Amino acid sequence: MIRRRALLQRAIALGLISPLTACDFDDPAHPDLADKFLSAMSRWNDMVQAALFNPHTLAPSFRPDQITRPPRFNAFYDISQAPVVSPASWRLALSGQIADQRPWRLDELQALPQQSQITQLTCVEGWRTIGQWAGVRLSEFLRRVGADLTCRYVGFHCADGYYTSIDMASALHPQTILALSFLGAPLTPPFGAPLRLRIPTKLGFKNPKSLVALSVTNIYPGGYWEDQGYNWFSGS
Amino acid sequence: MAHKPIHPWPLRLLHALNALAIIMMIGSGWQIYNASPLFGFTFPETITIGQWLGAAIAWHLAFMWLLVLNGLCYVLWSLASGHWRKFLPLTPRLVWQDFKAALSFRLAHETGAYNAVQRLFYVGVLLAGLVLVISGLGIWKPVQLWFFCDLCGGFVVARYVHFFAMSVVVLFLAVHLALVIAVPKVLPPMIFGGRAP
């Protein structure tokens, strides 16, 4: 009797778990019960991370001799397919809750005050790489173009079709920069030329490369990986 | 009058929820490990949870709440009920005596009481769980929860700490389940309560 009850309980437990773990996030347009559960927990983890976020806590800095050489390339495609953008014709388009939406040229961004950092880029896969990036503080840029800093999101689009978005508090963090250079030289195509976001308080995939458009909005913009199931906030 | 159970219902409930959380955390953790292996091997996909990294992380960061909240409930219940006294006394001499007795099959199973080797195992796995939570929080948030990350020797070392603490839990589970197979009568009380002698 006891054995039968134990077996039955085990069967029910297995029956509950197995559909949950069958195949998750395989079809984002048609979420099953497990996908809905995982998405709800991911939204909860977004809220917890936003509450944990301290705008004064800095990501650790490293010495020049700790820089990873050669630098590690990473994208959802091979290094040979990295987009090559002509610096002369390149523009950064602005949209959303921004007062001055005039597109920005590269030399205009180069003329702004630059900040350098040697920080760790932590990949969602678990590895990390240390590099030196320099560029314009995103908070400085957003103020300059008259962005509404009470908006919830800053969204980014890239030359390769990649897109992502971050919360405004992280966007205004002092170490969040629009990077123009990497390892002391202008960005090269595999590492995000001509302009990329460098945000050491978030995981690597929240550091979009080869930016072509920036928007400030209250409408959730999602992201390439986020829409497939990665946690949106993904703060470090 | 009702009999006193071997395992009171709060302990059985905590144990069941912990078993679920541990299975989900280890299964999804192995899939996360596979994305960037620390050693020259990966875990077979058939025994991991979540078919790809994004799903595995989602399971891991969902069930960490069950693991931690259930663990906190266990600590509070242990303190309030006096359950923690079962882990004492715990001295190297007692462990050695009971270990030798167990190897020569002279160690009797005492219902509802832990021998010194069992106490060492349970205290050890609880400590491993604590190390897993601390290193895990350090890996999840190396900037905001930097103190946990630093406590484990930084981000890179924390991943190894997390891995080895997981290995301790898996070793514990192997022994734990082997003993249940060797002495099957201990299983029903953990589900239904049983009757204390």
Side-chain angles (χ1 to χ4, degrees):
Chain A
M1 180 59 197
I2 280 173
R3 262 192 100 74
R4 264 191 13 223
R5 268 173 75 183
L7 273 175
L8 187 68
Q9 283 194 339
R10 220 176 300 170
I12 291 170
L14 258 177
L16 279 175
I17 294 173
S18 53
L20 289 177
T21 58
C23 197
D24 314 305
F25 299 138
D26 53 341
D27 184 5
H30 301 94
D32 61 15
L33 180 64
D35 295 342
K36 284 177 185 161
F37 165 74
L38 292 177
S39 297
M41 287 306 292
S42 200
R43 296 295 77 78
W44 161 250
N45 279 327
D46 284 342
M47 281 170 19
V48 171
Q49 292 178 89
L52 271 179
F53 182 80
N54 180 340
H56 305 294
T57 303
L58 296 181
S61 288
F62 295 83
R63 299 186 312 270
D65 62 283
Q66 291 176 295
I67 291 172
T68 311
R69 291 182 198 275
R72 179 168 179 170
F73 167 79
N74 193 61
F76 58 98
Y77 43 74
D78 185 75
I79 191 165
S80 63
Q81 291 169 300
V84 179
V85 179
S86 158
S89 61
W90 178 87
R91 297 288 184 277
L92 180 67
L94 303 182
S95 64
Q97 306 299 309
I98 294 177
D100 181 2
Q101 301 197 354
R102 183 180 53 85
W104 279 65
R105 292 195 316 270
L106 203 54
D107 56 341
E108 293 174 309
L109 286 164
Q110 285 161 341
L112 295 180
Q114 307 285 305
Q115 185 225 71
S116 180
Q117 58 175 265
I118 301 177
T119 47
Q120 153 176 293
L121 188 139
T122 312
C123 182
V124 66
E125 291 174 349
W127 52 269
R128 67 100 184 250
T129 175
I130 296 171
Q132 180 178 26
W133 290 267
V136 181
R137 268 192 189 182
L138 182 58
S139 60
E140 157 78 11
F141 181 79
L142 291 176
R143 285 194 182 91
R144 206 171 267 264
V145 297
D148 180 356
L149 303 183
T150 64
C151 281
R152 295 175 67 185
Y153 309 108
V154 181
F156 302 90
H157 277 82
C158 309
D160 54 11
Y162 189 81
Y163 63 104
T164 187
S165 55
I166 59 173
D167 56 295
M168 183 59 80
S170 298
L172 299 178
H173 187 273
Q175 287 173 309
T176 304
I177 61 172
L178 292 171
L180 291 150
S181 83
F182 178 50
L183 304 178
L187 287 170
T188 54
F191 298 99
L195 184 77
R196 80 172 301 179
L197 180 72
R198 175 64 192 128
I199 177 164
T201 52
K202 286 196 187 289
L203 292 177
F205 76 93
K206 305 293 283 187
N207 291 246
K209 299 188 279 193
S210 304
L211 298 177
V212 292
L214 180 156
S215 64
V216 173
T217 177
N218 278 316
I219 302 160
Y220 176 68
Y224 176 87
W225 286 116
E226 294 88 332
D227 294 350
Q228 297 178 57
Y230 279 141
N231 174 255
W232 174 73
F233 196 95
S234 283
S236 283
Chain B
M1 193 189 139
H3 285 270
K4 195 173 173 290
I6 296 168
H7 301 301
W9 71 265
L11 187 69
R12 274 140 53 202
L13 180 65
L14 290 161
H15 180 264
L17 290 174
N18 191 53
L20 174 68
I22 293 269
I23 289 168
M24 298 303 290
M25 291 304 276
I26 290 178
S28 57
W30 286 352
Q31 178 75 29
I32 296 170
Y33 166 96
N34 284 355
S36 180
L38 295 171
F39 305 100
F41 70 91
T42 55
F43 294 95
E45 296 284 319
T46 46
I47 56 164
T48 62
I49 291 171
Q51 269 60 51
W52 65 291
L53 178 62
I57 292 176
W59 283 113
H60 209 68
L61 298 187
F63 273 85
M64 71 176 179
W65 292 100
L66 178 64
L67 184 78
V68 169
L69 292 178
N70 193 61
L72 283 175
C73 288
Y74 172 76
V75 170
L76 292 176
W77 175 81
S78 289
L79 293 175
S81 68
H83 175 75
W84 62 274
R85 287 196 197 92
K86 281 189 167 186
F87 299 114
L88 297 174
L90 183 56
T91 63
R93 177 194 287 269
L94 284 173
V95 172
W96 180 239
Q97 281 173 359
D98 282 357
F99 182 65
K100 279 192 299 185
L103 284 187
S104 53
F105 298 100
R106 281 186 287 102
L107 190 62
H109 173 76
E110 272 181 78
T111 304
Y114 298 148
N115 64 57
V117 180
Q118 277 178 304
R119 286 183 208 135
L120 179 72
F121 264 67
Y122 288 133
V123 170
V125 80
L126 287 172
L127 287 176
L130 184 66
V131 172
L132 274 168
V133 171
I134 288 173
S135 57
L137 289 173
I139 295 165
W140 182 41
K141 303 210 69 75
V143 176
Q144 299 302 334
L145 301 180
W146 56 271
F147 34 90
F148 289 136
C149 198
D150 281 8
L151 204 60
C152 298
F155 181 80
V156 175
V157 181
R159 284 193 68 206
Y160 286 91
V161 172
H162 203 61
F163 181 90
F164 286 119
M166 176 277 294
S167 307
V168 168
V169 172
V170 170
L171 271 175
F172 167 86
L173 283 178
V175 176
H176 190 63
L177 295 177
L179 287 176
V180 170
I181 291 166
V183 193
K185 66 168 183 176
V186 299
L187 182 58
M190 193 35 100
I191 301 169
F192 305 110
R195 285 179 180 186

